[in-house]
Structure formats: structure tokens, C-alpha cells
Amino acid sequence: DAQTPRRLGRVYNIDRRPRVPFRNGDEIRGTTAAVRAMEFIPELGGGAPFTGRLQMYSDPGDPSKIYWKSSYQYPAHMVWGIPSQPWHETKRNKVCRVLEDSYEQIKSELHRVVEAQREKDDLISRVGERHGEAELVASGEWRDFVLLNDGGGLLEGKYSPQSLCPFTVNLLKNLEPVHSAVQSKIGVAIFSCLSPGTVLAPHCGPTNLRLTCHLGLQIPDSASIKVGEEERNWEEGKCLLFDDSFEHSVRHDGDRDRIVLLVNLWHPSIERSKWEGLATEARKIRQTRSELQEYFHRQQQRYGSR
């Protein structure tokens, strides 16, 4: 693709005192210099703390323009130039502040869903069954209760999200970066439940157009999430905000279900006027990739034994 930035040379590890070529041909040395370089290359995230392996790319339309990308970031759809870092500050994000302020009401409605689960066994369904992501579950079980319609349909009647969780549903519909991401089919809004012993294998989300927020609702000990090279733990009533286009994995060694409110939201650096066009582009690329994966899967089944 003539429009896709091209990788240049080796991979640089900025926590091992690298010698990194700068855009004018000079070299910068060491972690401090690498971080300073980020301040001059906004495509990397504007000087946010960063360690790990970096890849350098050139813009085919303008060879003097350089992009830096973490080797942990490999989504199916990637827009170059969006500031990239694995973890984001929650205090600066409106969605996180609103969710934390509404923790008690959201948790109360989660309890209603858990109670209703006793009447309707499949109320909280397996994620793999709904999204085709069963291969991500290395062990254990990952289930969800969908709060906003992302194209897969919603339960109706007394088990509908609006009936069980009216406060939470209305709250999310009034958070435009969340509601729009779901309507555009680049995101979800769910109660996400992991059973004890669950391990989610390292994987990347489908696009770097969005961030992912987890509000801790029921958090046992010994449950953690790793994004890039940094591992963090959830806290009840607190949000974690990360870019799921970076490789991430989850491990739950606790003794009861871990439950969070999981919402995707538009990346804050993307202007509202660009949301619709970028979402359309992301859906097309994801569909093409899905069709290719299905084709090669069929070919492997057909010819693999020969």
C-alpha cells in the first residue's frame, strides 16, 4: 500500500540506552533523549513515559516525516498519527470521572443482573459465543452482559438492559464518546465477568481509534491486567484507562468472579467531525481481514492434510 508508512531498519529498545536516528539524521542517546524525542514527534504521544521496543516508520508521501510505533501495538486497523501510549490518565478523562462518581448506582444495578442470572442461566453469556473470541480464553471462562446494542442485539422484556440497569444504560447513552463508539461498531459497553482461574491470552484490540475503560465493580485479590510491559490491578470504584490496540493480557487467580464495567470510547485526540468517516474505514478493513482469515482457514482445512 503506497499510503502505508514503511518500517525503517531495526527495532530500538529505549530502556537499554539505544542510539536512535532522529529525523534530521542526527542521533539521540539513552532513555532521557528518547523521551525528549517523543516531545518533538507527537505521533508517539507527546512525551508520555514510555519504555520498551520502538519501531521507526517513514511516510511514503513525505520521507522526512517519521512515525514511531511500539512493537506491542499491532491492531487490524491503525490510523497513523494518533498519539499512542499503553496507559492513560483517568483523572483527565470525563468518562472515567463520571463512571467513578456513579459507582454505587452502577454496582447496585450489577447486583440486579447477578440476581436475575439465577432465573435465566444464560443471561450473562460467554464472550466467545457472541463475538467469536473464544480463542482468547486460554483457561477459565469470560462472560458478559451487554448494556448498549453494538449490532448483536439485546435481550428484551424483564431481562433487558433497560429494565435491569436503567440508570447505567441512560448514563452511558449520555456519554457521547462511549455511545458513539458503540453505535459506530468500534466499541462495546458491557459488564465483563471472569471466573476464578481465567487467563486471557495476549492480544490486541481491532483499532487504535478507541480507548478502553474498566470500572472495578467486584474485584477479588490476585487479578491483574498487563498492557504492553506494565501490569496493574483493578480497584473497586476506580477506573483503569488503556489503549487496547496495544498487546494486553489478563490473569485471574482469585477465588470469586472479577466483574468490571467495560466501555470503549473514542480516542480523545480524534476530532468529533472525523468519527463517522474513521469508523467506516475501520469496519471495512476489519471485514476484509475477517474474510481473508476465513478463506485461509478453509484452505488449510481443505489442503492441510496433503
Side-chain angles (χ1 to χ4, degrees):
D1 185 345
Q3 302 305 313
T4 301
R6 300 168 183 167
R7 179 172 163 181
L8 301 176
R10 54 170 287 191
V11 175
Y12 302 95
N13 193 329
I14 70 169
D15 58 4
R16 295 185 181 175
R17 301 192 60 79
R19 304 177 71 217
V20 185
F22 199 44
R23 65 173 66 190
N24 63 2
D26 294 337
E27 292 183 340
I28 56 178
R29 300 170 185 266
T31 300
T32 300
V35 171
R36 286 176 181 168
M38 298 176 204
E39 296 174 357
F40 295 100
I41 308 177
E43 290 83 0
L44 189 60
F50 194 99
T51 59
R53 295 161 64 83
L54 297 177
Q55 298 168 344
M56 184 171 65
Y57 292 75
S58 70
D59 187 330
D62 181 3
S64 66
K65 189 172 185 179
I66 299 296
Y67 295 101
W68 295 85
K69 185 180 80 69
S70 167
S71 58
Y72 285 105
Q73 190 179 26
Y74 48 91
H77 170 256
M78 181 151 180
V79 176
W80 294 86
I82 294 177
S84 297
Q85 60 191 74
W87 292 98
H88 287 250
E89 176 59 57
T90 58
K91 292 181 181 179
R92 299 180 181 179
N93 188 276
K94 177 183 176 181
V95 169
C96 294
R97 294 197 304 269
V98 169
L99 294 182
E100 289 184 353
D101 288 343
S102 306
Y103 162 71
E104 294 293 346
Q105 297 98 315
I106 295 171
K107 185 167 184 177
S108 175
E109 292 190 336
L110 167 65
H111 288 159
R112 295 177 64 180
V113 174
V114 173
E115 287 296 318
Q117 169 83 0
R118 297 178 182 178
E119 301 175 10
K120 184 174 172 56
D121 187 56
D122 61 348
L123 183 63
I124 306 178
S125 60
R126 290 191 179 188
V127 171
E129 293 174 354
R130 211 173 65 81
H131 298 291
E133 297 174 337
E135 69 277 2
L136 299 182
V137 184
S139 64
E141 188 174 68
W142 181 16
R143 294 172 290 135
D144 68 9
F145 179 77
V146 182
L147 294 161
L148 298 181
N149 191 353
D150 59 358
L154 291 174
L155 293 170
E156 299 179 351
K158 70 175 184 178
Y159 297 117
S160 70
Q162 189 66 56
S163 295
L164 292 172
C165 310
F167 174 87
T168 304
V169 168
N170 292 333
L171 180 72
L172 296 176
K173 284 183 176 179
N174 284 300
L175 290 172
E176 189 181 20
V178 174
H179 194 211
S180 174
V182 175
Q183 287 189 314
S184 301
K185 297 183 175 62
I186 68 159
V188 298
I190 62 176
F191 287 138
S192 175
C193 177
L194 299 181
S195 63
T198 297
V199 175
L200 302 185
H203 61 287
C204 285
T207 179
N208 70 330
L209 296 178
R210 70 188 197 185
L211 298 182
T212 296
C213 174
H214 287 182
L215 172 66
L217 297 175
Q218 178 176 293
I219 308 300
D221 294 333
S222 303
S224 62
I225 178 170
K226 184 177 182 181
V227 184
E229 296 188 334
E230 184 178 349
E231 189 171 14
R232 296 189 183 183
N233 301 97
W234 295 275
E235 295 181 47
E236 293 190 5
K238 300 295 183 181
C239 287
L240 292 179
L241 184 64
F242 60 95
D243 185 337
D244 79 337
S245 69
F246 283 79
E247 182 181 280
H248 55 287
S249 59
V250 174
R251 186 173 192 91
H252 175 16
D253 294 322
D255 57 3
R256 60 193 177 109
D257 289 345
R258 184 240 59 180
I259 306 176
V260 300
L261 170 64
L262 183 161
V263 298
N264 298 123
L265 56 143
W266 279 95
H267 196 292
S269 72
I270 302 175
E271 298 175 8
R272 174 67 181 83
S273 61
K274 296 181 180 180
W275 286 0
E276 183 177 353
L278 289 172
T280 299
E281 173 188 298
R283 289 195 302 270
K284 288 180 179 178
I285 290 178
R286 289 177 63 190
Q287 180 63 31
T288 300
R289 178 164 175 161
S290 177
E291 291 171 351
L292 285 172
Q293 287 176 332
E294 178 62 25
Y295 168 78
F296 287 119
H297 179 66
R298 290 197 305 269
Q299 292 295 97
Q300 185 179 23
Q301 287 182 320
R302 183 176 182 183
Y303 300 110
S305 61
R306 295 188 177 184

